Amino acid sequence: AVEEEEEEDGGGECVRSLPKLVAMSATIDATSFAAYLADGKGDAPVVRVPGRLFPVRCLHLEEVLAETRFGRGAAKGGRDGMPAEVDWALLTHLVEHIATAGEPGAILVFLSGAREIERCCSALRSRPSLRGAWVRPLHGSLSPAEQRRAVQ
């Protein structure tokens, strides 16, 4: 969304300033946001950049445990019923299962921070059944070249 403002230059003349630019997630209601930024001449323009969609299979923990037959002890509790820590044994077992018994394609693992992402990559690279697998981290602490390598 873009909104332009005019300011006085001190001599009573209006000078056009740079527009306000907002880059945002595609999940936000752009129409409502554009109306919010309306300047009286109409809603702020919205630029849409199309992306590609890929089929994704979402698995919930109960399904994962049943599908992998992975035995699990009591999870260390966190907020909102979510585990406070990553269960690395479960995570590596799950990725191994999907990579060796699942459908062809990519596996995306979403974690909360760079440290967890790097630890996940190390754990997966160390698994004999995943030797030679293409495992790449992707987070904001990586250089632009490393980020490009993760998505090529």
Side-chain angles (χ1 to χ4, degrees):
V2 178
E3 180 181 325
E4 295 180 5
E5 284 189 351
E6 291 185 354
E7 300 174 0
E8 286 193 22
D9 67 355
E13 296 208 22
C14 287
V15 177
R16 183 176 171 175
S17 65
L18 294 174
K20 294 178 183 174
L21 301 170
V22 180
M24 60 187 144
S25 165
T27 60
I28 195 163
D29 180 1
T31 304
S32 297
F33 203 79
Y36 174 75
L37 292 174
D39 62 1
K41 300 176 209 156
D43 293 352
V46 175
V47 177
R48 297 182 192 278
V49 179
R52 295 184 292 172
L53 296 177
F54 298 93
V56 175
R57 180 176 174 213
C58 295
L59 298 173
H60 296 276
L61 184 59
E62 294 79 14
E63 297 167 311
V64 169
L65 294 174
E67 189 172 313
T68 63
R69 295 183 183 89
F70 187 82
R72 183 181 163 122
K76 295 180 181 177
R79 292 190 306 233
D80 302 324
M82 296 298 294
E85 301 177 359
V86 174
D87 184 332
W88 296 105
L90 173 60
L91 178 64
T92 55
H93 184 79
L94 172 60
V95 172
E96 280 183 303
H97 175 76
I98 294 170
T100 59
E103 302 165 14
I107 301 170
L108 302 174
V109 179
F110 293 95
L111 297 161
S112 61
R115 184 179 325 153
E116 289 84 3
I117 293 167
E118 293 293 343
R119 182 171 175 189
C120 176
C121 290
S122 294
L124 294 174
R125 287 182 189 123
S126 72
R127 304 300 295 185
S129 65
L130 297 175
R131 197 168 319 277
W134 192 83
V135 177
R136 298 285 186 275
L138 181 58
H139 52 78
S141 300
L142 296 172
S143 71
E146 291 170 312
Q147 291 181 31
R148 276 191 300 280
R149 190 169 56 227
V151 294
Q152 290 178 340

